[in-house]
Amino acid sequence: MNIRSTPRVLAAASSALLALGAVTACSSDEVAGADPQRVDVVAAFYPLEFVSERVGGDAVTVVNLAKPGAEPHDLELNPGQVGQVSEAELVVYLKGFQPAVDEAVEQNGGERVFDVTTVQPLLDAAAGGHDHDHGHEGEDGHEEEKAEPAGKTDGAKDPHVWLDPTRLATIADKLAERLGTADPDRAADYTARAKALRTELEKLDAEFTQGLKTCQRREIVVSHTAFGYLTERYQLEQIGISGLSPENEPSPQRLAEVTEEAREHKATTIFFETLVSPKVAETIAREVGAKTAVLDPIEGLSADNTGGDYFSVMRSNLETLRTALGCS
């Protein structure tokens, strides 16, 4: 009897283990619908996770599709993540930034999506160039004729909208409206949290405005042109080694142009990013006698990142810029 019952015992034990494994997977994967008391939000990458957490508070569960420390442009979704997109009550994403997310949203998002590109028009992208006066230097103080920007890309838009704190505040306001639609009973709470976040972001904006007001230089040489919103907001100028995509290798001609411009503007620092190889930046720095430093576009953080959050990294960026530009 014991021998005959053994297969049944083994089958029961196997079923129990499979069930336990499924429970464990659910708890670690944070699948949508895990907490019926909260609104399930899927955020496409860190800045959107940050703003969703801050506006949603304890009324939401937020899942970030991008892994901490990974380049979000290159995100590929596994079947579980596609399932999260299809099951979420709200998907917060930036159309055109991550093709895999765009595809999942198109196939499974329906009306449950919040595309932050609809909040305000995006800036035109720059592909490694900048508006720069290449005419003859005048000594009479008159404004010189400017050449066409070297790196304008027809039709392409810059997605890095979160690097302007005032734009991120407006995104938070609109996100509060969307969460209020999904969860009317707590609409006032979402609005209040968005207002509090706006206050913090406006304070950060004031710090940047004051901190970058008086500087010896206003041009920043960056590994790729991710900083258009920051430079426009604070009257700086970015000189991109490569264009909008960090994967694009700059041509020898572009490297020569950037080296020349870095010398012309007496750049003391060539900036690279945490998720991009510093080799090209280091090469140009050696050529012009400059050093290198990290200017973080804040794409690959996570809510539990020990390296800081949006505010701390932005303030670190500010101090790095002040040092590089000789700001008083």
Side-chain angles (χ1 to χ4, degrees), residues 49-322:
E49 177 192 23
F50 167 78
V51 75
S52 298
E53 291 274 18
R54 290 298 303 268
V55 173
D58 58 6
V60 302
T61 299
V62 182
V63 173
N64 184 355
L65 293 175
K67 293 180 180 179
E71 176 55 66
H73 300 84
D74 304 330
L75 177 67
E76 296 293 337
L77 300 182
N78 61 44
Q81 289 174 309
V82 174
Q84 289 173 333
V85 170
S86 66
E87 294 169 14
E89 292 169 81
L90 186 64
V91 179
V92 184
Y93 82 116
L94 196 157
K95 187 175 182 179
F97 186 58
Q98 297 161 293
V101 177
D102 289 354
E103 183 179 354
V105 164
E106 184 177 345
Q107 294 177 356
N108 304 290
E111 299 298 317
R112 303 167 295 102
V113 299
F114 173 50
D115 173 12
V116 302
T117 68
T118 63
V119 175
Q120 287 177 293
L122 297 182
L123 295 178
D124 290 334
H130 70 301
D131 291 308
H132 177 64
D133 181 359
H134 286 291
H136 294 291
E137 287 289 337
E139 296 181 1
D140 56 0
H142 291 165
E143 185 178 350
E144 258 98 19
E145 219 176 289
K146 292 185 178 180
E148 278 298 307
K152 289 292 182 183
T153 56
D154 295 334
K157 298 295 179 180
D158 185 349
H160 302 85
V161 61
W162 58 89
L163 292 175
D164 177 346
T166 63
R167 286 178 176 255
L168 189 60
T170 303
I171 288 171
D173 293 338
K174 295 298 182 182
L175 176 58
E177 292 178 13
R178 288 301 304 270
L179 285 169
T181 300
D183 183 14
D185 291 343
R186 290 181 282 201
D189 294 336
Y190 299 129
T191 301
R193 280 192 284 266
K195 184 178 179 180
L197 179 57
R198 172 174 282 280
T199 299
E200 289 185 63
L201 289 167
E202 288 175 348
K203 180 180 180 229
L204 178 67
D205 175 57
E207 291 174 23
F208 266 81
T209 299
Q210 184 61 36
L212 299 173
K213 186 176 182 180
T214 308
C215 304
Q216 295 175 17
R217 293 168 296 280
R218 304 209 71 81
E219 300 83 12
I220 60 173
V221 182
V222 295
S223 58
H224 90 284
T225 53
F227 299 93
Y229 292 93
L230 188 149
T231 53
E232 184 192 62
R233 179 68 184 170
Y234 305 111
Q235 289 79 55
L236 302 177
E237 197 172 4
Q238 69 174 338
I239 301 169
I241 298 172
S242 64
L244 198 59
S245 173
E247 292 80 21
N248 290 345
E249 287 291 329
S251 66
Q253 180 184 358
R254 183 61 200 156
L255 290 175
E257 290 172 354
V258 172
T259 300
E260 180 185 348
E261 291 180 8
R263 282 200 186 101
E264 183 180 344
H265 294 297
K266 298 179 173 58
T268 63
T269 308
I270 310 299
F271 294 107
F272 67 95
E273 301 167 22
T274 51
L275 303 180
V276 177
S277 171
K279 290 182 179 179
V280 175
E282 289 169 350
T283 299
I284 292 178
R286 282 194 300 270
E287 285 288 321
V288 301
K291 61 182 180 179
T292 58
V294 171
L295 194 63
D296 199 325
I298 321 182
E299 297 173 359
L301 301 181
S302 68
D304 58 356
N305 190 282
T306 56
D309 66 357
Y310 174 85
F311 282 108
S312 65
V313 177
M314 280 291 281
R315 288 189 169 102
S316 177
N317 281 344
L318 174 57
E319 290 310 307
T320 300
L321 286 169
R322 281 177 51 78

Side-chain angles (χ1 to χ4, degrees), residues 11-30:
S14 298
S15 297
L17 286 171
L18 286 171
L20 178 60
V23 170
T24 303
C26 288
S27 62
S28 63
D29 228 5
E30 291 188 82

